Every structure is written in structure tokens, then in C-alpha cells.
């Protein structure tokens, strides 16, 4: 414990001569650095083992042959394409992820910017509403959503894509927090006033001033939404829609190997997507939002 | 209802025009400014407030209509009450484990270079894993420590029975499984607080002759404590609300409240008890609301250091 206590924030330990010793690279600062490195390695290794083992186990499980001493096989992975219901469910979940993250941002970002600029009194209300889904768990929401979805089905048909209506609500807290942090980091007032005084309309302010400035927040929010939608089970299952997770769960009873293979693939897909997008978000010169 | 639903559906493109309309008209500032928030309010009203209202009101409506307290009274009976106790135990255990290990991991991340590839990969992984509840997670642990799981088989080959077939589906196993998404969530929630710590504070402590202990005891801990506690409460609410993982892991019975709700909603015997389901849902909302209120208060306290 004392080791951890004496740690500083590594990148912040200045590489300068220590006033007491006068020598660089020795003394308390260097020791602090070494302890910090040891601590980081230990944490990453322990956490790595904890988080990788189940994923490794899933992969191992999908490569098992049938019967004792059977050779390793990729039959489970090949069999994915033998289940058309599964393929449909994968497509639907991907579409839901795209719709939800886009719709969530379109609904929330302009509202938040607008409220900041014109309706500061409403800010608390918006925050409360956005964080409310954290207080109303999906399992509770679905109890009340069942009658609402009778109307949704009446107006929009019974497509699984209508789940996006509920999913936008589910992602609100995460989207809100990320966007809020992003907007806090910039001076919305000054930026928009400057743009307006140069003759920009509100859509231009949103798309070409605010959005590029909170680009990484927008990306983060979209990523969280995608990850959440790809993993959603509760609402889809209890409203009797077939999304990816429901299909996997159903298939798990018939063919555990195939369903675990799909589950693993979806996990990898989400992970690769998030890593890739987080690198895109880092390029400062990346062109963003050319739509307007 | 119809018009509202449609305007909510068309909400996205509407916003920019509604927003655009205000300044040109001039004069009537307030009413038109409110239009900008209308699509959002309408949408949330239909898909969040209305369902919540249905639950709250429904909890006090009897099977034949009319106001009753019977549904709510059921919560305090036998197995239903037990499921609340189990839910709270599971949430508390997994949130404490998640908070401690998540904080350590977050600190290990923050102490590296802020733009490093490692940090990007780990935070992205946390983003995925924090949402990685549900079916996939249940399967992952069945493939790991289930009857035919990797670790179970490995130990069985060496003559050791880890007995996970018993405890995996009980509280200890569920706590372990929940840690798998609680720790990453803690990292996501706690990272901003750690990022808010200024390196200058450590340097100031050093300059004033303070030791590492002094720094943590008198500078970092008092600043981080509200964030840590708040994050732990968020984790509690997260675990308490989780349904999918247990649903996929435990095929029958209702050891925790969400399973009881699902049972009440989709009882296969045909005896759907809508009133009980809503009362249970209301009970969950009350508990989560209490926890989240604590979270919000702590968050406000810690927010001033994160500017």
C-alpha cells in the first residue's frame, strides 16, 4: 500500500535535477518512477489475465470437436452461416446500432447547445431527464414500454428496427455525459456568437463550429451507443424482438458452440470498431462534417 | 399521441429548423426559444416519462381496476423480499470489488502518457466491456468455469474440483461475473476525476516538503473521495439494474428482483401478474433513485475539481 501511496502521476513527474541531490535520474523522483512502472505492470498483467481468460475460454470452447480427444475444429465458426435467423439478427443489430447512435446525437446535441445558449433555466431539467434512465433500469422501462410499443407498432409496423426508439432513451445518460463534458471544454457562447456575427445560421453553427470542436466527444458518444446496442438483450427479449443477443441466447440452447462463436465475433467486432474509431478521433486534421 | 409520436420520429431534422427559426422573428424571444427544446422534450416524454408513469400508476392499480395497496404489500412477502435482499447483496459486493479494482486500473492508465496507444486500447476495451453484460458474458463464464469450462477442465485434469457448478449460479459466482463489467465501468467513470488532478499539486506538495503520504492523504484523497464514492454508487445502481446476464445464466427461478419482474411479465403458466410486476419495478426504481441521488450529490461535490 505504501508503494502505491508514494506514487505520483507518472507523466507528471518532471525530469529535472532534484534540488537536494543535484543529479538527474537519481533520488526520490527516479525511485518514484520505478515504483510507478512496477505498479502499472502489475495492474495491467493481473487485469489482463482476468479479462482475457473468459475470452480465451470462449475461443477454446468454439474450437472443440465433438467427443473425447477429437481434434480442434472450426466447424462452429463455419456453421454460423447455416443459421439464416442469426444472420438476420446480426444485420438488424448493426442497423439498430447505426440508427441509435445517429438519432441519439441528432436529438441531444442541438438541444444541449440550444439550452446552454438560450434556456439556461432548462439545463437542470435536461440533465435530470437524460440521467433518468440510470434510475429507471431497462427491466423497469420495459414494463411501461409494452403498452407504448402497441402504439409504435400501430404507426411504424412491427419491424425490429422500431427498437431504436427505446434504445435512444437507453443511451441518453451516456451520450449526455460525454457531450456535456465536451461542451464544457469549449466556450460555446463565444464560439457561436462569433460565428453568428459573421453571418452563420444556426445549422452552420451546429455543424461547422460546435460539432468539430467537440468531435471526440461526439465520437465517444456514438461508440458507447454502438457498444450498448450491440449488447442489448433485456428490452428486445421482453418485447419479443429478435436482435443479436436474443438470437444468440436462443441458439445457445441448440448449439452452444455456434452461439458462443457469434458472441465472441460480436465482441471482437465492437472492440475493433471502438479502437479504430478512437484512432480516427485522434487525428486533428481529419475532415469532419462536410455535409453543410 | 399520434402527432406527438410522429414529431418525435421526425425529430432529428426538425431540430435545426426549429432552432433556426428563432432569431429572425425577433421580439418574442422566450416562447420561440422553447421550441428548440420541444423535440427532445416530446421524445423523452413519450419513451421515458410515459412508461415510467405507467409503472408507477400501475403499481397501485388492482387486477380489476381501482386503487389498491395489495401489489406493494406483496413486495414484503417471503420470496419476493428475499429477492430484494439478494439483489442488494449482489450489487453491493460487485460494486465494492468493481470500484476498488477499477480505480487501480484507472490510476495505472492515467499515470501513463495521456496520448499513448495503450491508454486508447484500454479505454476502448473498457467501453466495450462495460456494456458487455448479458448473454455473451454469461456464455463467456460458462465456457470458463462452467461444467465443461476451460479452467474447470484444466483443474479436473489435475484432480481438483473447483465446484463452480454450484457457486457459479449463486451469489459468489454472480459477483465474479458482474465484476467483469463493473471494473471497466469504474474505469470509464473514474478516469475523468483522475485526469482532473493537476500535476502541479504534486509538485507543490514536493516543494513544500510533503511526502507521498502527505500528498495522498491531504491533497489527492480529499479531492478524489467524492468521485470514488459517487462512482461506487453508480456501480451499485448498474448491478442492481442488470437483468440480461442473470437471465442467460440462471434458467429458472427468480433469485434477484429483475428475474421476478420478468417472471411476472411473461409467466409461462399464463398467470401474468401485471400489478405485481409493476410494484416490483416501482420498488427497484425507489432503491435506484435513492442510490442515484447520493451519486448526484457526490458528483456535484467533485465536479468543481474537474473544470
Amino acid at each position: 500500500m505504501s508503494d502505491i501511496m508514494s506514487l505520483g502521476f507518472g507523466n507528471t513527474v518532471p525530469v529535472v535535477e532534484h534540488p537536494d541531490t543535484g543529479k538527474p535520474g537519481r533520488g526520490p523522483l527516479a525511485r518514484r518512477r520505478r515504483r510507478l512502472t512496477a505498479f502499472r505492470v502489475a495492474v495491467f498483467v493481473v487485469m489482463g489475465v482476468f479479462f482475457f481468460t473468459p475470452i480465451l475460454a470462449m475461443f477454446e470452447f468454439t474450437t472443440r470437436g465433438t467427443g473425447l480427444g477429437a481434434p480442434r475444429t472450426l466447424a462452429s465458426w463455419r456453421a454460423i452461416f447455416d443459421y439464416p435467423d442469426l444472420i438476420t439478427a446480426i444485420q438488424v443489430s448493426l442497423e439498430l446500432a447505426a440508427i441509435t447512435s445517429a438519432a441519439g446525437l441528432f436529438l441531444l446535441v442541438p438541444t444541449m447547445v440550444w439550452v446552454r445558449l438560450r434556456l439556461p433555466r432548462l439545463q437542470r431539467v435536461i440533465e435530470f431527464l437524460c440521467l433518468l434512465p440510470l434510475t429507471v433500469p431497462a427491466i423497469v422501462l420495459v414494463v411501461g414500454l409494452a403498452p407504448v410499443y402497441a402504439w409504435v407498432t400501430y404507426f411504424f409496423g412491427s419491424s425490429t428496427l422500431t427498437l431504436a426508439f427505446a434504445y435512444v432513451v437507453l443511451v441518453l445518460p451516456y451520450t449526455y455525459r460525454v457531450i456535456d463534458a465536451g461542451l464544457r471544454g469549449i466556450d460555446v457562447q463565444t464560439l457561436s456568437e462569433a460565428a453568428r456575427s459573421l453571418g452563420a445560421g444556426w445549422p452552420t453553427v451546429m455543424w461547422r463550429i460546435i460539432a468539430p470542436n467537440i468531435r471526440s466527444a461526439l465520437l465517444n458518444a456514438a461508440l458507447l451507443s454502438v457498444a450498448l446496442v450491440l449488447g442489448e438483450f433485456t428490452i428486445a427479449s421482453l418485447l419479443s424482438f429478435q436482435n443479436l443477443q436474443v438470437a444468440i441466447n436462443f441458439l445457445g440452447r441448440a448449439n452452444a458452440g455456434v452461439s458462443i462463436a457469434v458472441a465472441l465475433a460480436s465482441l471482437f467486432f465492437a472492440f475493433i470498431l471502438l479502437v479504430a474509431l478512437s484512432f480516427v478521433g485522434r487525428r486533428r486534421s481529419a475532415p469532419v462534417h462536410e455535409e453543410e | 399521441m399520434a402527432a406527438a409520436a410522429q414529431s418525435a420520429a421526425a425529430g432529428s431534422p426538425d431540430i435545426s429548423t426549429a432552432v433556426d427559426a428563432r432569431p429572425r422573428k425577433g421580439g418574442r424571444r422566450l416562447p420561440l426559444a422553447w421550441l428548440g427544446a420541444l423535440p427532445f422534450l416530446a421524445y423523452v416524454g413519450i419513451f421515458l416519462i410515459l412508461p415510467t408513469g405507467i409503472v408507477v400508476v400501475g403499481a397501485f392499480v388492482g387486477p380489476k381496476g381501482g386503487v389498491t395497496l395489495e401489489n406493494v404489500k406483496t413486495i414484503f412477502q417471503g420470496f419476493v423480499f428475499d429477492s430484494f435482499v439478494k439483489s442488494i447483496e449482489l450489487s453491493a459486493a460487485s460494486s465494492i470489488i468493481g470500484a476498488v479494482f477499477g480505480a487501480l486500473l484507472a490510476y495505472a492508465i492515467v499515470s501513463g502518457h495521456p496520448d499513448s496507444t495503450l491508454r486508447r486500447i484500454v479505454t476502448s476495451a473498457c467501453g466495450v466491456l462495460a456494456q458487455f453484460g448479458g448473454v455473451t458474458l454469461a456464455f463467456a463464464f460458462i465456457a470458463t468455469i462452467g461444467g465443461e469450462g476451460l479452467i474447470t477442465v484444466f483443474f479436473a485434469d489435475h484432480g481438483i474440483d473447483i465446484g463452480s457448478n454450484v457457486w457459479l449460479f449463486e451469489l459468489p459466482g454472480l459477483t465474479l461475473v458482474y465484476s467483469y463489467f463493473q471494473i471497466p465501468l469504474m474505469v470509464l467513470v473514474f478516469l475523468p476525476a483522475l485526469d482532473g488532478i493537476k500535476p502541479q499539486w504534486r509538485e507543490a506538495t514536493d516543494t513544500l516538503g510533503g511526502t507521498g503520504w502527505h500528498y495522498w492523504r491531504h491533497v489527492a484523497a480529499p479531492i478524489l473521495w467524492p468521485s470514488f464514492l459517487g462512482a461506487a454508487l453508480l456501480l451499485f445502481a448498474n448491478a442492481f439494474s442488470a437483468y440480461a446476464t442473470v437471465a442467460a445464466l440462471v434458467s429458472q427461478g427468480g433469485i434477484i428482483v429483475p428475474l421476478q419482474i420478468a417472471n411476472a411479465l411473461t409467466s409461462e403458466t399464463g398467470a401474468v401478474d401485471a400489478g405485481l410486476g409493476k410494484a416490483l419495478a416501482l420498488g427497484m426504481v425507489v432503491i435506484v433513485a435513492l442510490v442515484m441521488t447520493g451519486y448526484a450529490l457526490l458528483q456535484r461535490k467533485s465536479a468543481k475539481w474537474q473544470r
Side-chain angles (χ1 to χ4, degrees), chain B residues 55 58-63 70-72 74 264 272-281:
Chain B
V55 168
F60 298 100
V61 174
E70 284 308 308
N71 300 325
V72 181
T74 326
V272 176
D273 192 343
L276 176 62
K278 281 164 187 160
L280 288 170

Side-chain angles (χ1 to χ4, degrees), chain B residues 234-305:
Chain B
L234 186 72
L235 261 55
F236 181 95
N238 186 43
F240 194 77
S241 322
Y243 161 74
T245 314
V246 183
L249 206 53
V250 183
S251 49
Q252 55 194 4
I255 57 169
I256 60 169
V257 185
L259 287 181
Q260 295 278 1
I261 295 178
N263 285 347
L265 271 185
T266 61
S267 181
E268 278 164 9
T269 58
V272 176
D273 192 343
L276 176 62
K278 281 164 187 160
L280 288 170
L282 181 64
M284 279 190 78
V285 171
V286 169
I287 291 180
V288 179
L290 286 176
V291 172
M292 291 308 290
T293 308
Y295 166 72
L297 293 175
L298 286 165
Q299 193 70 14
R300 204 164 297 164
K301 202 173 173 186
S302 59
K304 61 182 171 190
W305 296 106

